[in-house]
Amino acid sequence: MHIPFLSHIFVRRAFLAVLAVAILAPSATALAQEPLRTLLVGVDRREVNSLNGDWHYLVDQPPFSSLYDSSGKVRNGGYGQNTHPNIDSGPHNAEYDFATAPTLKVPGDWNTQDPTLFRFEGVVWYQRDFNFQPQPNKRTFLHVGAANYRSYVWVNGQHICDHEGGFTPFDCEVTAAVKPGSNFVVVAVDSTRHVDDIPTVNYDWFDYGGLTRDVSLVTVPSAFIDDYDVHLRHGTTFNAADAAILSGYIHVEGATAGTPVTLRIREAGVDTHLQTDAAGRASFEVKAAKLDLWSPENPRLYKVELAAGDDRITDEIGFRDVRVEGTRILLNGKPIFLQGANAHAEAPIRTGRVCTDQDVKNLFGYLKDLHANFVRLAHYPHDERMERMADRQGILIWSEIPNWQRISFDKPEVFAKDEALLREMIRRDRNKASVILWSVSNETPDNPVRTEFLTRLANEARQLDPTRLITSALNSARPKDGAMVLDDKLADALDMVGINEYIGWYVGKPEDADNTRWVLPEKPIIFSEFGAEAKYGNHGGDHARWTEEQQANVLAHQFAMLRKIPQLRGVTPWVLMDFRSPSRNIPKLQDGFNRKGLLSEKGEKKLAFSVVQKAYEDHSIGKPE
Ligand code: GCU
């Protein structure tokens, strides 16, 4: 734990340093243990002190950084001290002041809130005060739903924790830093891209920076449930008749062996009393009296009550079985065809990072209108509200970590970062029935270094969660002997293979799709990206590029081709809605948006929407078997 210097700009006088230590002494009720940087599962099902709302902000504007010293290391003090400058009297003590700074809404990216920050990429400092009453023998965590891309957290001047990754949650223990009454929290968020980051420096979406998801304080007993997994037992075969066995675990952080744990699902006739082992884990396998399985047609969720000592969590969980059999995808033993769309976390109408119930309602409204039963959440884990809505509405999800195209596959430290992101994605959503696919990448180069890296990652995902399917979107099919042939070794590590292709837009003419034959692995195949760009309201012939008619025509020819693929088990055209991408720079047509959406970013339906909607309503594209 740092003992922070008050500021880095000026040499500090000894008495200020002494004063600082006195102010920052940990609260008397702090429990003596190492602070935890962890990930609490089910935070959105706990009573929390929300820190959403107005946060003061200051921009760390080059050529001087208050976050990094000249060697690029995080300074001990910086704005984390939240020093108030002596404006009226000397000595001069600080070159910043949060108290009189403007505010940003949290959650939310800074780019769409402050026009001067629209294209800003770098560090923005956030600060807010909060009142708090520590309770004896309780532990308190600062929960951040996501912050893009690197985050550094101070509470009452103490540097608490850091996190890397723009799309997964993290929790930092602040028990020893908070005090009765008024407190303050400072978070520096750095959206700068780096070659060895995930994603790397180039990608086709907007680098929205900031505290882009909910922030809260979570107070728990000294022994608390930090992780759990309650799922339908996933045996080697599935039999709907006996699908009533639930298995999984409840992990209690800080628990001694033998701590009592209960699992109650009253409507399923489950009331199980367990005990933690020496590692704080209570594993179980229990037969439910009756269990109505979750499916798109019947998105049945159960109230699942977990208790361990003084800790309680009540979650809503659906139980279902998904597996592959030959080239079929079976949901609860029945073959299913996945028809949906790709979606970026772009907020309809207002644009910016999705972070509110309304944003999620708008996106799911489009999916339902499309007669979709599936959505690929491209290319990173989305706000947890998406999975909660999908659980309730019966929409199946492909969830993906942002290994987009050319990340640094040759670096072990990048693999370690990827493992962390994979674990965070799986840990947050493993109890969401809607999630059936974990994807380890999108459009990566077919070479041995990448294949070894992603094969390891795919195997790790399968080990972390044997109840779901592992996939990836590949664009490595190549023309051979008059067909498009996929012989990418990565496919061997996948349960289901995604194919990205753009016949009619990036490659050839729409009609070329009619005669394109595919040679694909004998596995379930999803065509995970295909489509064309059109500016909403731009009309012309069905070969006039950028018109709605042309985009609809490309999709019609794509569907004609896809219908001929025997192992096709899903389609997700690219993309549900136009989304911001700075690389899309054709004035009047793109204006900084990727225009392959079936809808404009304002929610206006293009002609292509009705082409897809009709095909899905008629179930005319693919067969479940
Ligand atoms: C790629 C990529 C997408 C991108 C799309 C496009 O397939 O996966 O992220 O937006 O092509 O070029 O529109």
Side-chain angles (χ1 to χ4, degrees), residues 204-205 344 376 379 404-405 442-443 500 502 506 529 533 574 579 584 594 596:
D204 187 18
W205 65 85
H344 262 295
R376 177 184 177 210
H379 287 290
W404 193 87
Q405 295 191 2
N442 177 70
E443 295 194 350
N500 290 4
Y502 282 91
Y506 290 125
E529 289 190 31
E533 298 214 30
W574 187 263
F579 61 94
R584 305 298 175 164
N594 181 314
K596 297 186 184 70

Side-chain angles (χ1 to χ4, degrees), residues 510-511 542-543 548-558 608 611:
E511 295 72 20
D542 60 12
H543 281 74
E548 291 189 38
E549 288 76 8
Q550 164 269 158
Q551 182 191 31
N553 185 41
V554 166
L555 288 175
H557 285 281
Q558 281 277 346
V611 168

